[in-house]
Each structure stands twice: as structure tokens, then as C-alpha cells.
């Protein structure tokens, strides 16, 4: 693990690292925000943040304004990249497939399957690395935006014993029924749709037997709302299954980080309720 | 004036505009954050933010986390670009000269003088445009980072009747005595150094007869501190002239927006003390 950048921020530290990922079979970069409490040897809980299409570890750290609240609450934030990267890694010219668009699945189809194992990376490899190398506890929460909101919901719903809480901004809530999801799942998982449901937040929430508290926020002026995001499907699944989902719509807000910044404090406080030091 | 982007943020609105600048003789983009108070017809005061080398109107709006406080305090923020732009505008391959590096001066030397009139643009043209087109008062404050901190200090010191307060993060405090300033001033103003002093914050603060309240913050781990920024020269000038300068150094902080984000609330509250609605 190689430390490539360090910035003091709100009394804590933002750091970027490169490491060789065994799940993804390539070099990966991630960022971590360590709140001031971590410097005194206290083991702090961790919020994992999964970013959206085209993003890297940097978007949330630079634009969400999350460090202020993380410092106040004593929560670390870990932001991985959104896909495997590199010249040897399969790619596509489109912004919504290949590098920058890993969709947090384990690909089964060529040419993707040799590197695109983001589900394993986020669920297992990255937390193991983080917990072995930083002053953090095994209290985990997970959140994300858009494609990353999909990833966060899917991962928490399938690993209820590993996460205390989950939240999402503008998640792709029902990828098996939207263009972004159908395109990515066809490429990564193949045309047999039976394998898709394990990566669909609405399907998983409808059937979940363990309930990780969930909070979702969605802007009503989001250009992707109707065609790609479909929060109403997630809401219906939660209702069917009596799932503890707080879903709020916000007039006038769009798909940008200005929306995330406006409500990130609410998300961190939601997670703080469920995380203990 | 053409509106090219709108994002709701903390109950207010971030907007980007293109307009044809008469001072700069080219098309220019700027951004404005209008706090929620502006929507109710109240005329709000304005903080002008001048960015650093290579930046545009976007860096501060996206990375500083300023909207939250501006919304709470009822202050608009205007972020112009850092130079004239376009194919017809003189440029240089270096990051610290030409487009993205206007240094907030009125150039007198070819080929720069036909477009590089950033001082006039910031002092006169832009406020006139803003005050004619948005629900803002003529209560102005000015701030900036690095090259923009230099610009903010110089502009406030030379126009004490136009600004209620000035602040800067990591400003180039004595450009006539540092490599960035000497390179830019030689190009834009010529080799006759008599013309340089009017754009040197330390020189101006040493001689100022009207005192705009000033706040400067500087990170002690800033890579540019000793060679380029020289806050000690500004502090000495303030002391000589009994100038009301609050200058604070911060252990561990660097030149990045993580430093700005960590202290932007203090700056906005400083300006709010001097601005009235």
C-alpha cells in the first residue's frame, strides 16, 4: 500500500493510497478521511462511499463537504474507485460501461470477468485492508450516489451482518428495469436474467429477511429520475416487505454533488445513530 | 447574459452564466450562488471570490463547501474566471502565465494588453453586471485563494470605498518579490518595476490610508509558503501602518481546497460582521 497524497482537513486527514488488488487483479486507488479522533488512537467506525458513473475516489472527498461532519461525529470515510483501471483492463468507449462504470458486480462474462469483481472488492478485500491498516473499528456503514447508491443498497441488503446502516443519494433503484442497468448487466452478467436479481436493490429489498436501516434521498429535478432511477419501485418493495426505508424526495434538486452536499449531514447523522465507537 | 447551468444547493441556487465582457474583449463565464433569502426579493450582500492559478469559476463553488454558510448568513457569492479565455486570447504553455493566470491586473504590454484587463473586470464591469441583474445590494466583500488572494487584497486596498471587508487564503502577499509575481508582472506590465507596486498587497497595505478590515489564513505545510506567498511581508506592512489585519497560521494545512473548506466558515462569518442587509 503506497500513500500518494495527504491533506489536513477539518483537523483530520484526507489520504490517498495505491494498492494491488487481488480481487480486481490490478492496481487500485482509494481515499480515506480520518477524523481527528483517529489520531488519538481511538478506533473509529467507517462509512464506505461508492461513487457514480465516471467518478473516482476524488469526487465525494472534494465536493460533498462531508469532512466537516465526519470530524464532528468521529467517523472515517473510505472512497474506493468505481471500477478496475489500467491499460490491461477491458474498457468501452461509452461512459456507462467499462472503466469508471463497474456497477459493483462480479462479472461472469468475457472480457470483463478477469478484472471486474467490484462486489468482492467492496464487500471483502477493501474492508480487510482498511481494518488492518487504519485505526478503525469493524463498525461499518455504506452509502453512495447513483450507480454507487445502487451498489451501497445491494451490498448492505446482501450482507446485513456486515453493515449497521445504508444510505443512498439518487440510487439506480431497479437496474434490471432501466437502460443503464440492463446495458451493464447484459455485458457483465450475460443475457440470462436470472443472475441479475442478486444485484437489484428493489428485488433484494422485497425479499430481505434481515433489515439494515436504510435512508434514500432523491431530487425531483433529477434528469435521470424517471428513466434510470425509479425510487418508486424501491418504495413499493419496502412497503411489501415492511422494510425500514426512509425515502425522501426534494423539490428542485438535481443529480449533482450540490444535492449531495446539501444533505450529506443528514446522512452522516443517520449513520452515526447506528454506529457505536 | 446567457444562463448555462442551474443547481439547487442548500435551498438556494448555484448558476453559471456566459456574457460578453467589454473590459476583456471576449466571452466570459462566471458563477453565482444566490442564498434562499434572495428568492424572497430581499437584496443580499455579495462576496466576490477570486480563484488561483489554473482555476475557473467552478473550483470554489464545487470544493469550498461555502454554500451552506452563505445560505445560513444570506450572502451571495460570485466567482469569476481567472483570466480572459478563447482562441483569440493570448496564451502561454506555462500554467502560471496567460489563460488561467490573469493575476487580476490591467496588462499594458503586447500581446497581453488587448484582453488581460482583469482588474477593471473585477472592480467595475462584473459588479455592475451583477447588481443590475440579480437581487443583490451594493454591499460588497471580496476574498480569494493564492493568486486570487493577491487579487482580493490588492483590489480591496485600492478601492476601500467599494468593499466592506477583504479576506484571503494563502495569498501571494508580495508578488514583486516572488517568482510567480515577477514572471507575470514582467509579462503583463513590462520590465519597469515602478508600475508593479500598485498590484502588490504588501506595498499597498504599508501605505494604505483607508483601512478595509482584512483576514488572512495560511497553512504552515503549504509547499509554496516560503518562496511564493510570504505572509510575513504582509504582516510587517500591516504592523508598520497599524492596519487591521487578522493573520493566522495553521499547523499541518496545505495549499489545497481542503484547507479552504476547513476555514471558509470563519471567513464568511468575518465578512457577515461587516456586511449589512
Amino acid at each position: 500500500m503506497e500513500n500518494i497524497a495527504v491533506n489536513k482537513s477539518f483537523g483530520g486527514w484526507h489520504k490517498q493510497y495505491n494498492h494491488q488488488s487481488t480481487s480486481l487483479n490490478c492496481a487500485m486507488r482509494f481515499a480515506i478521511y480520518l477524523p481527528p479522533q483517529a489520531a488519538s488512537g481511538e478506533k473509529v467506525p467507517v462509512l464506505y462511499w461508492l461513487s457514480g458513473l465516471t467518478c473516482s475516489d476524488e469526487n465525494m472527498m472534494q465536493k460533498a463537504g462531508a469532512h466537516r461532519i465526519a470530524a464532528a461525529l468521529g467517523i472515517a470515510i473510505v472512497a474506493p474507485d468505481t471500477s478496475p483501471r489500467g491499460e490491461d483492463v477491458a474498457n468501452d468507449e461509452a461512459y456507462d460501461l467499462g472503466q469508471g462504470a463497474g456497477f459493483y458486480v462480479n462479472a461472469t462474462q468475457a472480457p470483463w470477468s478477469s478484472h471486474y469483481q467490484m462486489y468482492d472488492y467492496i464487500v471483502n478485500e477493501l474492508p480487510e485492508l482498511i481494518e488492518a491498516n487504519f485505526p478503525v473499528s469493524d463498525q461499518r456503514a455504506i452509502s453512495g450516489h447513483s450507480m454507487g447508491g445502487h451498489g451501497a443498497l445491494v451490498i448492505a441488503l446482501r450482507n446485513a451482518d456486515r453493515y449497521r446502516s445504508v444510505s443512498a443519494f439518487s440510487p439506480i433503484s431497479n437496474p434490471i428495469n432501466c437502460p443503464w442497468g440492463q446495458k451493464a448487466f447484459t455485458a457483465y452478467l450475460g443475457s440470462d436474467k436470472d443472475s441479475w436479481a442478486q444485484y437489484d436493490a428493489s428485488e433484494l429489498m422485497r425479499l430481505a429477511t434481515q433489515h439494515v436501516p436504510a435512508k434514500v434521498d432523491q431530487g425531483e429535478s433529477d434528469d435521470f429520475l424517471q428513466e434510470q432511477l425509479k425510487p418508486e419501485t424501491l418504495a413499493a418493495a419496502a412497503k411489501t416487505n415492511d422494510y425500514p426505508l426512509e425515502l425522501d424526495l426534494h423539490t428542485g434538486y438535481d443529480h449533482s454533488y450540490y444535492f449531495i452536499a446539501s444533505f450529506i449531514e443528514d446522512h452522516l447523522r443517520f449513520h452515526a445513530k447506528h454506529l457505536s465507537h
Side-chain angles (χ1 to χ4, degrees), chain A:
Chain A
M1 215 174 63
E2 179 198 7
N3 178 221
I4 55 169
V6 177
N7 313 95
K8 193 169 183 181
S9 183
F10 288 93
W13 297 91
H14 167 262
K15 302 183 179 189
Q16 285 178 302
Y17 290 86
N18 282 334
H19 75 113
Q20 189 65 30
S21 164
T22 51
S23 330
L24 302 171
N25 191 24
C26 67
M28 289 293 284
R29 191 175 76 191
F30 70 85
I32 185 167
Y33 177 71
L34 290 166
Q37 294 83 346
S40 57
E42 186 182 335
K43 289 200 167 195
V44 296
V46 183
L47 174 68
Y48 290 84
W49 174 270
L50 306 185
S51 277
L53 289 166
T54 77
C55 290
S56 71
D57 66 292
E58 294 189 332
N59 303 64
M60 189 272 195
M61 290 291 180
Q62 294 182 355
K63 296 183 177 177
H67 296 182
R68 182 181 63 87
I69 322 290
L73 299 173
I75 297 175
I77 301 173
V78 171
D81 205 344
T82 51
S83 77
R85 303 261 187 193
E87 287 184 13
D88 299 336
V89 174
N91 201 3
D92 189 278
E93 287 183 0
Y95 75 99
D96 55 0
L97 191 68
Q99 296 187 28
F103 271 85
Y104 307 102
V105 304
N106 288 335
T108 57
Q109 306 296 303
W112 309 105
S113 52
S114 51
H115 293 286
Y116 286 75
Q117 305 293 321
M118 286 296 289
Y119 180 86
D120 278 353
Y121 178 68
I122 302 295
V123 173
N124 296 308
E125 184 179 357
L126 187 61
E128 197 171 307
L129 187 76
I130 297 296
E131 289 160 25
N133 288 281
F134 298 97
V136 300
S137 70
D138 60 358
Q139 301 262 323
R140 304 177 203 101
I142 190 163
S143 183
H145 174 230
S146 195
M147 176 183 75
H150 139 75
L153 289 166
V154 163
I155 284 170
L157 285 160
R158 288 176 59 179
N159 298 277
D161 52 334
R162 292 179 62 81
Y163 299 94
R164 296 294 178 115
S165 48
V166 58
S167 75
F169 290 87
S170 330
I172 304 173
S173 297
N174 187 205
I176 65 177
N177 287 316
C178 81
W180 276 339
Q182 290 169 341
K183 177 179 176 178
F185 288 6
T186 301
Y188 298 142
L189 305 174
S191 52
D192 176 5
K193 297 191 178 179
D194 289 349
S195 64
W196 294 14
Q198 64 183 317
Y199 295 114
D200 187 282
S202 293
E203 287 295 299
L204 293 166
M205 195 169 275
R206 189 168 59 82
L207 301 170
T209 53
Q210 281 181 281
H211 291 178
V212 182
K215 171 175 173 59
V216 171
D217 286 275
Q218 173 64 54
E220 289 184 344
S221 295
D222 186 323
D223 287 342
F224 303 111
L225 177 54
Q226 295 198 343
E227 189 181 13
Q228 304 282 14
L229 305 178
K230 303 188 184 295
E232 68 281 0
T233 310
L234 192 70
K239 194 172 176 190
T240 299
N241 192 14
D242 202 17
Y243 195 100
L245 168 67
E246 296 176 18
L247 169 63
D248 291 297
L249 301 177
H250 300 276
T251 307
Y253 286 92
D254 62 20
H255 202 66
S256 72
Y257 265 85
Y258 294 113
F259 172 50
I260 297 172
S262 298
F263 295 95
I264 193 74
E265 178 165 354
D266 295 348
H267 281 238
L268 282 161
R269 291 194 184 283
F270 168 79
H271 291 296
K273 276 191 307 184
H274 299 287
L275 294 165
S276 56
H277 282 262

